[in-house]
Amino acid sequence: MNMVEAIRDAMDIKLADDKNVVVFGEDVGFFGGVFRCTQGLQEKYGTSRVFDSPINESGIVGAGIGMAAYGLRPCVEIQFADYIYPAYDQIVSEAARLRYRSAGDFTAPITIRSPVGGGIFGGQTHSQSPEALFTHVSGLKTIIPSNPRDAKGLLISAIEDDDPVVFFEPKRLYNGPFDGHHERPASNWTKHPLGDVPDGHYTVPIGKASVFRPGRDLTILTYGTMVYVAEAAVNETGVDGEIIDLRTLLPLDIEAITASVQKTGRCMVLHEATLTSGFGAELCARVQETCFYHLEVPVERVTGWDTPYPHAQEWDYFPGPTRVGNALKAMMETV
Amino acid sequence: MNMVEAIRDAMDIKLADDKNVVVFGEDVGFFGGVFRCTQGLQEKYGTSRVFDSPINESGIVGAGIGMAAYGLRPCVEIQFADYIYPAYDQIVSEAARLRYRSAGDFTAPITIRSPVGGGIFGGQTHSQSPEALFTHVSGLKTIIPSNPRDAKGLLISAIEDDDPVVFFEPKRLYNGPFDGHHERPASNWTKHPLGDVPDGHYTVPIGKASVFRPGRDLTILTYGTMVYVAEAAVNETGVDGEIIDLRTLLPLDIEAITASVQKTGRCMVLHEATLTSGFGAELCARVQETCFYHLEVPVERVTGWDTPYPHAQEWDYFPGPTRVGNALKAMMETV
Amino acid sequence: MSKYAPLEFTVPEPASRPGDDADFSDIDIPLAGTVRRPPIDVSPSEIKDLSSTMIRVLRRDGAAVGPWAQEGIDDLLLTGLRSMMRTRAFDERMMTLQRQGKTSFYMKCTGEEAIAVGHQLALSPGDMNFPTYRQQGLLIAQEYPLTDMICQILSNERDPLKGRQLPVLYSSKKHGFFSISGNLGTQFIHAVGWAMASAISGDTKIASGWIGDGSTAENDFHSALVNASVYKPPVVLNVVNNQWAISSFRGIAGGDEATFAERAHGYDIASLRVDGNDLMAVLAVSDWAIERARRGHGPTLIEWVTYRVAPHSTSDDPSKYRPREESDAWPLGDPVIRLKNHLVQRSLWSEERHSQAEAEFEDEIRTAAREAEEFGVMGEGSSARDLFEDVFKEMPPYLREQRQKLGV
Amino acid sequence: MSKYAPLEFTVPEPASRPGDDADFSDIDIPLAGTVRRPPIDVSPSEIKDLSSTMIRVLRRDGAAVGPWAQEGIDDLLLTGLRSMMRTRAFDERMMTLQRQGKTSFYMKCTGEEAIAVGHQLALSPGDMNFPTYRQQGLLIAQEYPLTDMICQILSNERDPLKGRQLPVLYSSKKHGFFSISGNLGTQFIHAVGWAMASAISGDTKIASGWIGDGSTAENDFHSALVNASVYKPPVVLNVVNNQWAISSFRGIAGGDEATFAERAHGYDIASLRVDGNDLMAVLAVSDWAIERARRGHGPTLIEWVTYRVAPHSTSDDPSKYRPREESDAWPLGDPVIRLKNHLVQRSLWSEERHSQAEAEFEDEIRTAAREAEEFGVMGEGSSARDLFEDVFKEMPPYLREQRQKLGV
Ligand SMILES: Cc1ncc(C[n+]2csc(CCOP(=O)(O)OP(=O)(O)O)c2C)c(N)n1
Ligand SMILES: Cc1ncc(C[n+]2csc(CCOP(=O)(O)OP(=O)(O)O)c2C)c(N)n1
Ligand SMILES: [Mg+2]
Ligand SMILES: [Mg+2]
């Protein structure tokens, strides 16, 4: 099962087992979404459960909050994460604050799905990774799965969660794991163990990282597409990196992180978003707080540059396996 | 001169010397702004240069971008930084990207002023410090002055800058330096050397920090209101802290930071915003990158908690001199 | 050089400023009873004229006239009068508390009481309001415990919102009162979403959204209208046009040449413009719109024309931007006096009962305030532990750690 | 239990879906020449009817009729025809390049050419468009170098935007063409702001904003209209209603019962609804609105009624959501053919010249494409150094360091 199918399966299961679940967003109804994540769901559950929304991201989230306050569990789609900013006020000032400001009287159990990341030659408005803009907001949970199995289990957890969840889907992973070698043929999920998605209802817990690849030399903290880039770089350099797939950014699995870095003594933080004030900054800060006396070299951030996501220079922007590999080697060389 | 007067003076000078400067925002015209920062300017420059806007923050910034593209230099006010989120898309996707995406063909030299921070018993929607949400955005400059003299010089620089600038004014400092001892009588700027503001046109450069108080034991990286809290904690604990007032968060004066931390070997990061993914995370990350081998203890973040800004519990949220002082002492005790 | 004159930039100005005589000559007021009452299933395009006029029931002489005058609602009218009087007395008392330094902040709705009170009396249990900070009448009209309200205003130990919100930003699901946001306009689309949910669930409940004239400029106004236009959910969209938004008059929201009710036309939403200082008009029009929504005929936008007699808040001084005596000149009068006159004329009420009631309500509120003050004022008694609760349903480990760090 | 029936949730549906016969019976089309032409200083409230009808000049038989028919503009009409033809030929060629893998992405405006082309011909040098991605006609109508356009589409060495933008998101200040944003709707308020600036500066230039039917739902539509309503700047606000927004039809933007032009009523903005497939109507109405703006009479919103013949983009397959032959059934016809018929009838043009012109334009564009391809395709020749330029006017040290790290 690819990631699109896994995500669709999660919504399908929740639509079937909870009549309060509704799914909407731009083009998600009759058409089934520009990435096809909701294909067939309107036909199966009707237009009251799965429907098109006007092109108004603020309204999608705002109406979702009203529905959630009523008692529904909306799972909404923002067509690209680059278009989530018009909804930013509704997410930050409303969804994230409602429980707190009403002392639990009203809540907003809404799931906001949105494709993130580049690598599809989409230019600056189809490529961004804005996760750090959400991890700074108290009251929100932020999830980024890296494979179909996690995506399904985490999306079910998100929809069942009683708080608002921002669920970012690395669009470059929809069809297959992607290691950053854009010049090579694309692989797909059918051949990958994590494309083997269990049937029916299961959950992957929010707030738990997974050790994607155990290793002894160095810890790589990463998530989403970059998990595979890290894997490629590890394989190509021979550095025995332990790759931690964070899966949830907030709440962060600091225990898993600390255990790994205290073991390896070296830590790289890897993401596609721009460097400054990216989520990698928080990871650096936490790691040096909990592992200071174990660190042999500074925590190294390998990330997108502090520029908008370019179109033609996409692969110069993208922190691919070469850049990651060079950084890995440099970190192992430093005394 | 207090900070309100200094800010007004900066706008007054720019309105007078550049006919392309216009000032607008909610209640800024006839009334002169809810914090009185534009008082008298409409009378002096007329309704074409200084005027009220509809209550639509997105429109304030959006119209400002259009004006800037025409050739004006709008200096707009968002009444409270808590209300900047509706304008977030216009700031991030438009103002910050325009030069890049048009390869310099169009630019958006707009200054967005807004009061930040708490300590005025204003509850969660009159107290926030959202600076980190802007430092992650490539193409924006972010400034937070801590005193009238800098405020005037930096605001003139911001208006003259050819790129969009977010200019946050710590509202608790408008009338006087505030050290976090809310139970004591408020002091005001007339008695403070930094309240002595030069007449006429001058600039304070964007991107340059200042050493607010030299010290040998430890570096405190901070900005805005927290500068005075740091000062109080240093005085009260006797820890000889070097207080760096960053003034500009982006571009960050990494040289000043590195010089100080390499000298002291200890670094505290202090801000009022919530901890996770706050600007303190970036500071931690940078400091451990540039000063790793000089650091004797982990960089310590003292910040607001990861909760919304509460109303009644304001002083439990606020990282006041006691909390800062305790952290300073603990950092000096650690071996 | 050019055959065109240089363009000019114009900014709308109110008819009068401090020092001028108050001037409301630009407000057209039709005689009471002259506006028709369409059936509740009328199509929006058939009643466009009703957005440009003003539905009024109470005549200057106290008589209730025209097609919107309801009969057989004497008890409701008496309840309405009492609720308006209690709301006004409450506001006065809270101002005193603020002056005494017992709360940091307060916002009055003086002169606008008929709107929230009348509308609430037309709603049914289970319906949900999405209010702004000037609809305290919604709570007071339904006997929400005044002590609880005051505890919220004092942010004390018994504050139902645990000290987390600015005074007056109430929340009570039980009373059909959605948590007030400090951010303007955001609740308007929530009302639409809630109403969509009611329809999706095959329920019979309706939502009622509230927004100020100034706040109609916010973008959420549009998202609410677009969604209401597309899905036609059971929602009433109330615009309280009290002429001012802090220091800026309605013209700065684009409400000078067109009415706010007319905004609905482009969205195919029914809309009505109403004398908001006329409780009988408020009741009748609210009934109409609520019944329309509940019968599945879709949304209605209502512009309630009124005047903000009070300062914007306790932080505001309106004499800086409008004539001091402007509120006396307001042509729609005082909603309490207008209803009183009607009831007195019909011998359902008297000047003596009015004075008695005033004293009674003052007493009631003074007692409630005294009771509330026992639990603390100005944030006293609020718990630092509460600072970390309700960020999420379950407190995650990192917040527990932060709480420990604070030592609470 | 309740006396009310359960509410129902309804979502608007287009008249036809794949497999159905195309159905446009819900679109009312008045005869050409039947709609009045008001003076340019008319007040918005006097022309509300013009938002619900459709201004048309070209009759089915090719005659130009009615008060909006202009005379003495033969050269302009010929230029218009050529520009439309060139635009269409350009689109076709770019599709081929996309199929050949020379560009990743393209968006056609087939069937909508009259709107951008006609409007551009009515503008003056110095005026500024704030376009969407479907107004390539604005550039092509003013002889913007096709090679430059193609270099942008190919993101090659000569791409004026240095490879930073998705193909088709042009920018050219010199040609009065504001940088196209990938984010829908944002430019509408920019147009208003730019026009405000023109008025503030005592200039005589006007701005022209563009938005799609689907994108009118975006909140920036409201902020644009509110600001246009308040300050009455010299701006023309163009809504291109091509019936579809990717897979959702106009009803999902609330444009089914009310027209998009009617949105302007509640804002006291003049508005007109126009046959967008009729170049003579486009010219005449654009002239009217531009002159109105330039003379200081304020903003006009124009709804151009047309049909998106093309797929949304090269990533789209419309047969998934609408009848395959829907575009043939579109009742307003093809703008090129309609103008051609008019010109042929008046002997200003002929079938032969038409075929010749087609061949000529195909050639011109093929040549331009060949020229452009020499500088690379699919991002070839773009420089990694350019990645770090233009983030700011001056590159700050941290970006210089990052560039060094990348080794460029
Ligand atoms: C998003 C946002 N912007 C600005 C403010 C500041 N503010 C609070 S009330 C107000 C005026 C609102 O006026 P109106 O909507 O007419 O309501 P009224 O106070 O007259 O009842 C403003 C500008 C805010 N609370 N939220
Ligand atoms: C803010 C934002 N939301 C969503 C999108 C994705 N998107 C691109 S085009 C489009 C449809 C726009 O339709 P319309 O405005 O009618 O213009 P048309 O394509 O018909 O010319 C959508 C939803 C976007 N680009 N920006
Ligand atoms: Mg008001
Ligand atoms: Mg369209």
Side-chain angles (χ1 to χ4, degrees):
Chain A
M1 203 181 263
N2 69 24
M3 206 137 147
V4 168
E5 291 158 339
I7 286 162
R8 187 190 303 144
D9 197 24
M11 287 187 273
D12 195 346
I13 287 168
K14 289 310 301 173
L15 281 161
D17 85 5
D18 181 352
K19 69 172 186 1
N20 289 322
V21 172
V22 290
V23 166
F24 61 100
E26 294 158 19
D27 300 292
V28 312
F30 187 86
F31 184 57
V34 295
F35 288 105
R36 328 300 298 134
C37 289
T38 55
Q39 197 181 8
L41 297 180
Q42 180 176 81
E43 208 179 350
K44 194 160 168 189
Y45 297 100
T47 51
S48 296
R49 305 284 306 285
V50 180
F51 52 91
D52 281 345
S53 73
I55 304 176
N56 181 313
E57 292 75 14
S58 179
I60 291 171
V61 174
I65 292 169
M67 291 179 194
Y70 176 90
L72 301 188
R73 289 190 175 270
C75 176
V76 305
E77 177 175 305
I78 301 294
Q79 203 163 79
F80 284 85
D82 317 65
Y83 307 142
I84 204 166
Y85 307 125
Y88 198 65
D89 186 46
Q90 283 288 346
I91 298 173
V92 173
S93 306
E94 301 300 322
R97 302 290 191 249
L98 187 54
R99 179 188 292 279
Y100 194 78
R101 76 173 194 232
S102 72
D105 197 24
F106 291 95
T107 61
I110 177 175
T111 301
I112 302 167
R113 292 180 40 246
S114 192
V116 288
I120 63 156
F121 220 45
Q124 58 182 274
T125 56
H126 301 88
S127 305
Q128 296 169 46
S129 296
E131 61 275 7
L133 303 172
F134 297 89
T135 54
H136 188 44
V137 179
S138 58
L140 287 184
K141 298 179 180 176
T142 303
I143 294 174
I144 309 189
S146 72
N147 60 73
R149 192 187 296 193
D150 283 352
K152 178 175 167 185
L154 281 164
L155 184 52
I156 291 178
S157 291
I159 296 173
E160 294 178 351
D161 198 276
D162 289 322
D163 287 302
V165 177
V166 178
F167 190 91
F168 284 132
E169 303 166 3
K171 67 178 83 73
R172 182 66 213 224
L173 297 181
Y174 275 149
N175 294 313
F178 173 68
D179 64 7
H181 282 295
H182 57 97
E183 67 290 354
R184 301 191 192 153
S187 63
N188 71 49
W189 285 113
T190 50
K191 302 182 206 116
H192 198 283
L194 292 168
D196 183 17
V197 175
D199 281 345
H201 182 284
Y202 68 95
T203 59
V204 169
I206 296 174
K208 289 274 166 260
S210 85
V211 179
F212 181 81
R213 178 198 186 279
R216 269 172 300 191
D217 289 350
L218 182 151
T219 300
I220 304 178
L221 302 179
T222 191
Y223 47 91
T225 310
M226 289 300 129
V227 167
Y228 306 96
V229 177
E231 188 184 31
V234 161
N235 291 340
E236 289 162 23
T237 56
V239 173
D240 187 18
E242 175 148 299
I243 303 173
I244 309 278
D245 178 357
L246 296 172
R247 304 199 291 195
T248 303
L249 305 193
L250 198 88
L252 185 65
D253 190 349
I254 189 68
E255 281 178 28
I257 293 171
T258 306
S260 176
V261 178
Q262 291 193 350
K263 181 179 78 180
T264 62
R266 283 176 164 82
C267 179
M268 171 186 285
V269 166
L270 175 59
H271 62 59
E272 199 180 330
T274 52
L275 177 78
T276 300
S277 283
F279 191 66
E282 178 62 27
L283 291 171
C284 277
R286 294 303 306 262
V287 165
Q288 67 90 34
E289 279 158 20
T290 60
C291 309
F292 185 78
Y293 299 101
H294 294 80
L295 283 175
E296 286 168 43
V297 294
V299 184
E300 171 86 11
R301 290 185 283 175
V302 181
T303 71
W305 308 114
D306 277 329
T307 69
Y309 213 107
H311 175 63
Q313 300 89 343
E314 172 152 82
W315 300 115
D316 300 312
Y317 175 91
F318 190 91
T322 312
R323 189 132 71 85
V324 176
N326 290 342
L328 282 177
K329 285 185 281 182
M331 284 177 77
M332 294 312 297
E333 276 156 23
T334 322
V335 193
Chain B
M1 206 182 259
N2 68 26
M3 205 136 149
V4 168
E5 292 158 339
I7 286 162
R8 187 190 304 144
D9 197 24
M11 287 187 275
D12 195 345
I13 287 167
K14 288 311 301 172
L15 281 160
D17 84 5
D18 182 352
K19 70 173 185 0
N20 289 323
V21 172
V22 289
V23 167
F24 61 100
E26 296 159 19
D27 300 293
V28 311
F30 188 86
F31 184 57
V34 295
F35 289 104
R36 329 298 299 134
C37 290
T38 55
Q39 198 180 7
L41 298 180
Q42 181 176 78
E43 209 178 350
K44 195 161 169 188
Y45 297 100
T47 52
S48 296
R49 305 282 307 283
V50 180
F51 52 90
D52 282 344
S53 73
I55 305 176
N56 182 313
E57 292 75 13
S58 180
I60 291 171
V61 174
I65 293 168
M67 292 179 194
Y70 176 89
L72 301 188
R73 291 193 173 266
C75 176
V76 305
E77 176 177 305
I78 301 294
Q79 204 164 78
F80 285 86
D82 317 66
Y83 306 142
I84 204 167
Y85 307 125
Y88 199 64
D89 186 47
Q90 282 288 346
I91 298 172
V92 173
S93 306
E94 301 300 322
R97 304 288 191 250
L98 186 55
R99 179 187 292 280
Y100 194 77
R101 76 171 192 235
S102 72
D105 197 22
F106 291 95
T107 61
I110 176 175
T111 301
I112 302 169
R113 294 178 40 244
S114 192
V116 287
I120 63 155
F121 219 48
Q124 58 184 272
T125 57
H126 302 88
S127 305
Q128 294 169 47
S129 296
E131 62 275 8
L133 303 172
F134 297 89
T135 54
H136 188 44
V137 178
S138 57
L140 289 183
K141 298 180 181 175
T142 303
I143 293 173
I144 309 190
S146 72
N147 59 73
R149 192 184 298 191
D150 283 352
K152 179 176 166 185
L154 282 165
L155 184 52
I156 292 179
S157 291
I159 296 173
E160 293 178 352
D161 198 275
D162 288 322
D163 286 302
V165 177
V166 178
F167 189 91
F168 285 132
E169 304 165 1
K171 65 178 86 70
R172 183 64 213 225
L173 298 180
Y174 275 148
N175 295 313
F178 174 68
D179 64 7
H181 284 294
H182 56 98
E183 66 292 353
R184 300 190 191 153
S187 63
N188 71 48
W189 285 114
T190 51
K191 303 182 205 113
H192 198 283
L194 293 168
D196 184 16
V197 175
D199 280 344
H201 183 284
Y202 68 94
T203 59
V204 170
I206 295 174
K208 288 277 165 256
S210 85
V211 178
F212 180 81
R213 176 199 186 281
R216 269 172 300 188
D217 290 349
L218 182 150
T219 300
I220 305 178
L221 301 179
T222 191
Y223 48 90
T225 310
M226 288 300 129
V227 167
Y228 306 96
V229 177
E231 188 183 31
V234 161
N235 291 339
E236 289 162 23
T237 57
V239 172
D240 187 19
E242 175 149 300
I243 302 174
I244 309 276
D245 178 356
L246 296 173
R247 303 197 294 194
T248 302
L249 306 193
L250 199 87
L252 185 65
D253 189 349
I254 189 69
E255 281 176 29
I257 293 171
T258 306
S260 177
V261 178
Q262 291 192 349
K263 179 178 79 177
T264 62
R266 284 176 164 82
C267 179
M268 173 188 282
V269 166
L270 175 59
H271 62 59
E272 200 181 330
T274 52
L275 177 78
T276 300
S277 284
F279 190 66
E282 179 62 28
L283 291 172
C284 275
R286 294 303 308 261
V287 166
Q288 68 90 36
E289 279 159 20
T290 60
C291 310
F292 185 78
Y293 299 101
H294 294 80
L295 283 174
E296 288 169 41
V297 296
V299 183
E300 172 85 11
R301 290 185 284 175
V302 182
T303 70
W305 307 114
D306 277 328
T307 69
Y309 212 107
H311 176 64
Q313 300 89 343
E314 171 153 80
W315 300 114
D316 299 312
Y317 175 92
F318 190 90
T322 311
R323 190 132 71 84
V324 177
N326 289 341
L328 282 177
K329 286 185 281 181
M331 285 178 76
M332 293 313 297
E333 278 156 22
T334 322
V335 193
Chain C
M1 204 184 87
S2 163
K3 66 169 185 159
Y4 294 96
L7 288 156
E8 276 170 39
F9 185 66
T10 53
V11 179
E13 272 295 316
S16 45
R17 284 292 195 188
D20 301 340
D21 284 342
D23 178 2
F24 287 114
S25 56
D26 54 345
I27 299 195
D28 271 340
I29 304 174
L31 289 179
T34 55
V35 178
R36 71 194 166 100
R37 185 182 192 285
I40 60 157
D41 59 352
V42 69
S43 96
S45 59
E46 289 172 66
I47 55 165
K48 287 193 177 176
D49 55 311
L50 300 189
S51 322
S52 317
T53 178
M54 213 187 283
I55 297 171
R56 311 180 67 224
V57 170
L58 284 172
R59 217 159 54 187
R60 192 180 280 267
D61 66 7
V65 294
W68 291 90
Q70 292 171 297
E71 298 203 347
I73 55 163
D74 296 351
D75 285 348
L76 206 61
L77 294 179
L78 285 167
T79 306
L81 181 70
R82 284 175 206 277
S83 296
M84 289 198 290
M85 292 174 73
R86 287 174 77 228
T87 303
R88 189 166 294 181
F90 187 83
D91 278 358
E92 285 312 318
R93 185 81 215 147
M94 293 308 107
M95 281 299 286
T96 309
L97 293 191
Q98 196 270 342
R99 268 189 243 102
Q100 295 170 343
K102 292 176 179 165
T103 179
S104 52
F105 183 78
Y106 191 72
M107 302 181 97
K108 294 164 80 180
C109 67
T110 313
E112 308 176 32
E113 295 91 345
I115 300 165
V117 163
H119 193 73
Q120 181 61 49
L121 294 178
L123 289 167
S124 299
D127 292 341
M128 185 65 69
N129 283 295
F130 291 79
T132 83
Y133 45 75
R134 231 180 278 286
Q135 276 83 53
Q136 49 265 59
L138 297 172
L139 288 173
I140 294 177
Q142 55 174 317
E143 315 281 344
Y144 179 85
L146 298 182
T147 320
D148 287 4
M149 273 175 92
I150 304 173
C151 287
Q152 204 271 309
I153 292 166
L154 302 178
S155 303
N156 67 18
E157 202 186 315
R158 291 279 175 98
D159 172 1
L161 305 185
K162 301 189 180 166
R164 300 218 188 93
Q165 272 280 45
L166 209 59
V168 321
L169 301 184
Y170 315 103
S171 172
S172 179
K173 194 174 198 168
K174 199 171 135 198
H175 296 82
F177 193 98
F178 186 72
S179 158
I180 301 174
S181 179
N183 299 59
L184 294 173
T186 49
Q187 72 286 349
F188 225 45
I189 175 71
H190 299 161
V192 171
W194 196 97
M196 287 167 69
S198 179
I200 288 170
S201 307
D203 202 342
T204 60
K205 301 196 189 95
I206 75 119
S208 205
W210 296 86
I211 203 164
D213 52 319
S215 305
T216 60
E218 288 286 10
N219 278 341
D220 289 305
F221 179 78
H222 180 63
S223 67
L225 265 68
V226 168
N227 280 278
S229 173
V230 172
Y231 305 112
K232 306 278 189 266
V235 66
V236 181
L237 296 165
N238 300 280
V239 177
V240 180
N241 175 5
N242 63 6
Q243 315 302 322
W244 289 93
I246 309 184
S247 76
S248 69
F249 86 119
R250 65 176 184 281
I252 298 293
D256 217 9
E257 317 282 328
T259 70
F260 293 103
E262 285 168 358
R263 288 276 159 89
H265 293 178
Y267 301 88
D268 188 46
I269 292 176
S271 81
L272 304 166
R273 189 157 178 270
V274 186
D275 177 345
N277 287 16
D278 174 343
L279 186 100
M280 291 191 71
V282 175
L283 270 174
V285 173
S286 295
D287 268 349
W288 187 93
I290 291 166
E291 186 72 7
R292 175 177 170 86
R294 212 185 305 280
R295 292 279 178 210
H297 303 304
T300 305
L301 184 144
I302 307 174
E303 175 182 346
W304 305 107
V305 183
T306 184
Y307 182 81
R308 196 196 77 208
V309 172
H312 173 69
S313 73
T314 47
S315 318
D316 179 45
D317 173 9
S319 72
K320 290 231 171 69
Y321 51 80
R322 66 185 190 186
R324 221 176 260 282
E325 73 299 350
E326 202 184 62
S327 85
D328 301 330
W330 174 244
L332 296 176
D334 178 311
V336 173
I337 296 176
R338 283 175 68 190
L339 185 62
K340 184 186 85 175
N341 288 349
H342 171 75
L343 293 170
V344 169
Q345 202 189 53
R346 294 184 50 217
S347 308
L348 292 165
W349 194 247
S350 68
E351 291 295 346
E352 299 75 58
R353 284 177 67 183
H354 198 80
S355 310
Q356 268 168 24
E358 266 174 354
E360 185 192 311
F361 298 146
E362 232 178 81
D363 232 54
E364 177 198 7
I365 290 157
R366 195 186 300 271
T367 309
R370 211 175 298 123
E371 220 176 289
E373 286 176 44
E374 280 170 29
F375 303 108
V377 300
M378 274 295 256
E380 283 167 14
S382 69
S383 155
R385 280 183 75 85
D386 279 337
L387 176 53
F388 298 93
E389 301 282 343
D390 293 329
V391 179
F392 297 104
K393 188 174 183 193
E394 323 261 357
M395 192 181 298
Y398 73 94
L399 276 179
R400 194 162 303 126
E401 266 168 44
Q402 293 187 10
R403 191 174 71 186
Q404 278 158 8
K405 261 200 171 171
L406 181 58
V408 294
Chain D
M1 208 185 84
S2 161
K3 66 170 184 155
Y4 293 95
L7 288 156
E8 275 169 40
F9 185 66
T10 53
V11 179
E13 272 294 317
S16 45
R17 285 292 195 187
D20 301 340
D21 284 342
D23 178 1
F24 287 113
S25 56
D26 53 346
I27 298 193
D28 272 341
I29 304 174
L31 289 178
T34 56
V35 177
R36 71 194 166 98
R37 185 180 192 286
I40 60 155
D41 61 352
V42 68
S43 95
S45 59
E46 289 172 66
I47 55 165
K48 287 194 176 176
D49 56 311
L50 300 189
S51 321
S52 318
T53 178
M54 214 186 281
I55 297 171
R56 312 181 66 224
V57 171
L58 284 172
R59 220 160 52 184
R60 193 182 281 265
D61 67 7
V65 294
W68 293 90
Q70 294 171 293
E71 300 203 344
I73 55 164
D74 296 352
D75 284 349
L76 206 58
L77 295 179
L78 285 167
T79 306
L81 181 70
R82 285 175 205 277
S83 295
M84 290 198 287
M85 292 175 74
R86 287 174 78 230
T87 304
R88 189 167 293 180
F90 187 81
D91 279 358
E92 286 312 318
R93 186 79 216 147
M94 293 308 108
M95 281 298 287
T96 309
L97 292 192
Q98 196 272 340
R99 269 188 242 102
Q100 293 170 343
K102 292 177 180 166
T103 178
S104 53
F105 183 78
Y106 192 71
M107 301 180 97
K108 294 165 78 179
C109 66
T110 314
E112 309 177 31
E113 294 91 346
I115 301 165
V117 163
H119 194 74
Q120 182 60 51
L121 294 178
L123 288 167
S124 298
D127 293 340
M128 185 64 70
N129 282 295
F130 292 78
T132 83
Y133 45 76
R134 231 180 278 285
Q135 275 83 54
Q136 49 265 58
L138 297 172
L139 288 173
I140 293 177
Q142 52 175 320
E143 316 280 345
Y144 180 86
L146 298 183
T147 319
D148 287 4
M149 273 175 94
I150 304 173
C151 286
Q152 205 270 307
I153 292 165
L154 302 178
S155 303
N156 66 19
E157 204 187 313
R158 292 276 175 102
D159 173 1
L161 305 185
K162 301 188 178 167
R164 302 220 187 92
Q165 273 280 45
L166 209 59
V168 319
L169 301 184
Y170 315 102
S171 172
S172 179
K173 193 174 197 167
K174 198 172 136 198
H175 295 84
F177 193 99
F178 186 71
S179 156
I180 301 174
S181 178
N183 299 59
L184 295 173
T186 49
Q187 72 287 351
F188 224 45
I189 175 71
H190 300 161
V192 171
W194 196 98
M196 287 167 69
S198 178
I200 287 170
S201 307
D203 202 342
T204 60
K205 303 196 189 95
I206 75 121
S208 207
W210 296 87
I211 203 165
D213 52 318
S215 305
T216 60
E218 286 288 10
N219 278 341
D220 290 304
F221 179 77
H222 179 64
S223 66
L225 266 68
V226 168
N227 280 280
S229 172
V230 171
Y231 306 111
K232 306 276 188 270
V235 65
V236 182
L237 296 164
N238 300 280
V239 176
V240 180
N241 175 5
N242 65 3
Q243 315 302 320
W244 288 95
I246 310 185
S247 76
S248 68
F249 86 119
R250 65 177 184 280
I252 298 292
D256 216 10
E257 318 282 329
T259 70
F260 293 104
E262 285 168 358
R263 287 277 159 87
H265 292 178
Y267 301 87
D268 188 46
I269 292 175
S271 80
L272 304 166
R273 190 158 177 270
V274 185
D275 177 346
N277 287 17
D278 173 342
L279 186 102
M280 291 192 70
V282 175
L283 270 173
V285 174
S286 295
D287 268 347
W288 188 91
I290 290 165
E291 185 72 7
R292 174 177 171 85
R294 210 183 307 277
R295 292 277 178 209
H297 303 304
T300 304
L301 184 144
I302 307 173
E303 175 181 346
W304 304 107
V305 183
T306 184
Y307 182 81
R308 197 196 77 209
V309 172
H312 173 69
S313 74
T314 47
S315 316
D316 180 45
D317 173 8
S319 73
K320 289 231 172 70
Y321 52 78
R322 66 185 191 185
R324 221 176 261 280
E325 75 299 351
E326 203 184 63
S327 84
D328 300 329
W330 175 243
L332 297 176
D334 179 311
V336 174
I337 295 176
R338 283 176 66 191
L339 184 62
K340 183 186 84 174
N341 289 348
H342 170 76
L343 294 170
V344 169
Q345 204 189 51
R346 294 185 49 217
S347 308
L348 293 165
W349 195 246
S350 67
E351 292 295 346
E352 299 74 60
R353 285 178 66 183
H354 198 79
S355 311
Q356 268 168 23
E358 266 173 354
E360 183 191 313
F361 299 145
E362 233 177 81
D363 232 51
E364 176 197 8
I365 290 158
R366 197 185 299 269
T367 309
R370 211 174 298 124
E371 218 176 290
E373 285 176 45
E374 279 170 31
F375 303 109
V377 300
M378 272 297 255
E380 283 167 12
S382 68
S383 153
R385 278 183 77 86
D386 279 336
L387 176 52
F388 299 93
E389 301 283 343
D390 293 329
V391 179
F392 298 103
K393 187 175 182 192
E394 323 261 356
M395 193 181 299
Y398 72 94
L399 275 179
R400 194 160 306 123
E401 266 170 44
Q402 292 186 13
R403 192 175 68 183
Q404 276 158 9
K405 262 201 171 171
L406 181 58
V408 293

